[in-house]
């Protein structure tokens, strides 16, 4: 059973939904999609208005009794409350409903645990789960209240079982954090290696199920797992892509975002999301056919800001309106008329429509920050010539008996190192002829 609680706030304008950025029905549909992502069989779902949230059970007595009746009649094994529950609320609901109860965070963690494939992904899921579980250790069972141990003549209070459990979890969290720090350092080394090669990084971000992995496969001709599921992709994937004018970039696919994502979950996946922080360009993939596309875009923006990425301080962001093939023809035409040349790019990752325009847009963005220079190197210095090919893109080359003369494109990231290495070999710009 899936329950979507609508918490009401009484104000001057009457009662208002505390999570009013999208409709209750849309939030319920998303919760159903999350549950379907781990193959749960849903026998009952509904929206429940909560005018006066109870600190012990969230719902009032009458609603709790009604839910208990549904659980008993349907013989349900699990109740999902699509809202954050306190440890006490979760424990009390499990006692009253006589079945397992999890909240939104618990459901997302279940999905993450099911989807993580790499060692890094599993470490991040374990860390997030233990951090969440640590707060769930409440005195719900009598054995957790017994004291044991103690020192001195009077024995002392000793250590309760719950304190021992919490300490063990904390020790495990510290161990996982150390392992993830090792992963982070390894990723940093990989990034440093990539920085030595003039290949800009383009990161895909977006709400879960916006079509990032499908677009990633379309751009890179890869076969990364992509399916019409929430959180189909958890582990980051990087591939090299050649743009229309021959420029190579690194494309990075990342985990999808979602509304009400707990802070500790974002923190656990920070090692993965650091690829976004290091990107030269961010593509924000939006499911433009979704009825809550604007609210989803706002959730992505908030998550990026939590990571320290915004329009002023982070990498430039290009909006990509995906799934235009799902729109009504008349509405699609009207929508596309409103898009200016430097505005969002409309594509269909499934059919390939608009992907060429997106590649050209990425190409134009990358090229606008590059320097076009002419260099003359001694033909006898093969090592210097090899470094030229490493640090720049050779556009044109001509060889003489003594020199190699080449026109090269130098990326913004390589401008400083290139000047340090080749400044004495750069040919001066030819002065433009003055026309009287």
């Amino acid at each position: 059973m899936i329950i979507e609680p609508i918490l009401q706030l009484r104000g001057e304008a009457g009662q208002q939904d505390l999570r009013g950025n999208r409709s209750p029905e849309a939030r319920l549909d998303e919760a159903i999609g999350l549950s379907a992502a781990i193959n749960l069989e849903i026998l009952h779902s509904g929206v429940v208005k909560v005018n006066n949230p109870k600190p012990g059970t969230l719902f009032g007595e009458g609603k709790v009794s009604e839910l208990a009746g549904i659980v008993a009649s349907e013989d349900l094994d699990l109740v999902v409350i699509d809202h954050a529950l306190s440890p006490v609320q979760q424990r009390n609901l499990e006692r009253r409903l006589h079945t397992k109860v999890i909240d939104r965070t618990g459901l997302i963690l279940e999905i993450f645990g099911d989807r993580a494939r790499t060692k890094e992904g599993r470490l991040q899921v374990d860390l997030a789960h233990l951090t969440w579980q640590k707060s769930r250790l409440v005195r719900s069972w009598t054995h957790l209240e017994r004291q044991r141990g103690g020192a001195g003549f009077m024995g002392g209070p000793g250590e309760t079982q719950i304190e021992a459990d919490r300490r063990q979890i904390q020790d495990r969290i510290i161990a996982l954090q150390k392992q993830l720090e090792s992963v982070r350092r390894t990723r940093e080394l990989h990034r440093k290696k990539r920085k030595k090669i003039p290949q800009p990084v383009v990161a895909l971000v977006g709400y879960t199920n916006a079509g990032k992995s499908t677009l990633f496969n379309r751009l890179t001709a890869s076969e990364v797992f992509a399916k019409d599921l929430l959180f189909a992709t958890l582990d980051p994937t990087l591939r090299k892509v050649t743009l229309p004018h021959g420029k190579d970039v690194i494309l990075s696919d990342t985990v999808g975002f979602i509304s009400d994502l707990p802070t500790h979950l974002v923190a656990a996946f920070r090692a993965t999301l650091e690829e976004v922080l290091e990107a030269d360009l961010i593509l924000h993939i939006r499911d433009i056919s979704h009825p809550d596309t604007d609210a989803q875009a706002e959730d992505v923006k908030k998550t990026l800001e939590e990571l320290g990425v915004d329009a002023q301080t982070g990498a430039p962001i290009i909006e990509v309106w995906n799934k235009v093939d799902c729109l009504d023809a008349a509405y699609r035409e009207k929508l596309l008329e409103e898009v200016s040349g430097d505005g969002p790019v409309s594509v269909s990752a499934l059919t390939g429509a608009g992907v060429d325009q997106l590649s050209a847009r990425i190409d134009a963005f990358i090229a606008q920050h590059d320097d076009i220079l002419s260099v003359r190197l001694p033909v006898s210095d093969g090592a210097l010539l090899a470094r030229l090919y490493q640090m720049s893109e050779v556009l044109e080359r001509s060889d003489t008996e003594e020199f190699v003369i080449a026109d090269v494109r130098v990326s913004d990231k390589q401008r400083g190192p290139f000047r340090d290495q080749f400044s004495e070999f750069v040919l001066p710009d030819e002065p433009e002829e003055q026309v009287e």
Side-chain angles (χ1 to χ4, degrees), residues 17 30 43 139 158 193 284 325 343 356 384 387 404 430:
D17 184 0
E30 182 176 272
L43 299 182
R139 297 178 183 272
K193 287 182 180 179
H284 176 190
D325 55 309
D356 290 342
L384 189 64
R387 284 199 295 275
V404 173
E430 295 183 4

Side-chain angles (χ1 to χ4, degrees), residues 17-224:
D17 184 0
L18 289 175
R19 299 161 68 200
N21 60 334
R22 63 188 69 191
S23 69
E25 291 74 19
R27 296 205 296 267
L28 178 61
D29 287 343
E30 182 176 272
I32 292 172
L34 286 170
S35 302
I38 49 175
N39 301 317
L40 293 178
E41 183 182 356
I42 302 161
L43 299 182
H44 185 88
S45 63
V47 174
V48 175
K49 289 186 178 181
V50 183
N51 295 326
N52 185 22
K54 304 294 183 184
T57 56
L58 184 64
F59 307 106
E61 282 296 315
K63 182 54 67 175
V64 172
S65 298
E66 179 186 333
L67 295 178
I70 296 173
V71 169
S73 63
E74 299 280 0
D75 193 22
L76 302 178
D77 301 311
L78 176 68
V79 174
V80 177
I81 309 296
D82 188 37
H83 192 273
L85 293 177
S86 70
V88 172
Q89 288 172 340
Q90 182 179 0
R91 179 195 64 186
N92 290 340
L93 284 173
E94 286 184 340
R95 283 177 172 176
R96 294 289 305 275
L97 302 181
H98 302 290
T99 191
K100 182 176 175 61
V101 175
I102 61 173
D103 63 1
R104 182 179 179 85
T105 303
L107 180 60
I108 293 173
L109 284 172
E110 289 289 337
I111 299 171
F112 281 14
D114 184 60
R115 293 286 159 73
R117 293 290 179 266
T118 65
K119 179 184 177 183
E120 177 188 359
R122 289 193 293 270
L123 284 174
Q124 293 175 132
V125 170
D126 287 346
L127 176 60
H129 199 280
L130 285 172
T131 305
W132 176 77
Q133 185 180 346
K134 185 181 174 184
S135 68
R136 306 284 112 177
L137 285 178
V138 294
R139 297 178 183 272
S140 54
W141 310 106
T142 56
H143 82 276
L144 294 180
E145 297 172 354
R146 289 202 300 267
Q147 295 178 342
R148 62 178 187 173
F153 180 75
M154 297 297 293
E159 180 181 44
T160 62
Q161 183 66 47
I162 189 173
E163 289 168 346
D165 292 348
R166 186 174 285 123
R167 178 169 50 79
Q168 289 176 4
I169 287 179
Q170 184 60 36
D171 290 344
R172 177 66 177 149
I173 287 174
I174 292 171
L176 285 173
Q177 287 173 336
K178 288 180 179 178
Q179 292 181 63
L180 275 173
E181 180 60 24
S182 175
V183 170
R184 192 195 66 77
R185 287 196 297 268
T186 302
R187 281 194 168 278
E188 183 62 29
L189 288 174
H190 291 168
R191 278 193 289 268
K192 285 182 179 179
K193 287 182 180 179
R194 290 203 303 267
K195 286 178 181 178
K196 293 180 181 178
I197 305 172
Q199 292 177 343
V201 176
V202 179
L204 304 183
V205 302
Y207 206 80
T208 181
N209 207 30
K212 296 183 301 302
S213 296
T214 305
L215 182 60
F216 182 87
N217 289 340
R218 175 70 65 174
L219 288 168
T220 62
S222 302
E223 294 184 357
V224 171

Side-chain angles (χ1 to χ4, degrees), residues 418-433:
F418 185 90
R419 290 284 183 179
D420 293 340
Q421 189 79 238
F422 294 96
S423 58
E424 61 182 294
F425 303 104
V426 175
L427 298 174
D429 295 333
E430 295 183 4
E432 296 182 4
E433 296 184 3

Side-chain angles (χ1 to χ4, degrees), residues 31 65 75-76 101 120 142 179 187 206 231 235 239 244 253 272 276 281 298 302-303 308 326 330 398 408 420 423:
S65 298
D75 193 22
L76 302 178
V101 175
E120 177 188 359
T142 56
Q179 292 181 63
R187 281 194 168 278
F231 293 117
D235 300 310
R239 294 285 189 276
D253 189 16
T272 298
V276 178
L281 176 65
E298 190 62 29
K302 288 179 182 177
T303 307
C326 298
S398 60
V408 297
D420 293 340
S423 58

Side-chain angles (χ1 to χ4, degrees), residues 316-330:
I317 299 175
I318 295 177
E319 270 198 11
V320 180
W321 289 356
N322 191 26
K323 304 188 183 182
V324 292
D325 55 309
C326 298
L327 296 173
D328 173 77

